[in-house]
Amino acid sequence: MLYTDGIPEARNMHKKFYGIERLCEVVSQNWHLSAEQIKQAAIDDLRIFF
């Protein structure tokens, strides 16, 4: 998996980092999907985080 450093370093309004662990969890939960669907799942989770 490739990602930009902007994803795990993103912070919400409480100044909490999204983190590599959360990104890896999303990928692990969606490993059976296509790359495009995994990307979308990560984006969706990032939006929920904020």
Side-chain angles (χ1 to χ4, degrees), residues 3-42:
Y3 64 90
T4 69
D5 58 350
I7 293 175
E9 294 176 359
R11 288 198 270 176
N12 64 14
M13 65 182 178
H14 302 290
K15 303 204 187 282
K16 181 178 176 187
F17 286 104
Y18 183 79
I20 189 68
E21 295 83 11
R22 185 168 176 158
L23 178 60
C24 288
E25 186 175 329
V26 170
V27 172
S28 294
Q29 291 173 350
N30 294 283
W31 65 270
H32 60 284
L33 301 175
S34 70
E36 181 64 31
Q37 291 170 314
I38 293 171
K39 178 187 86 171
Q40 191 59 53

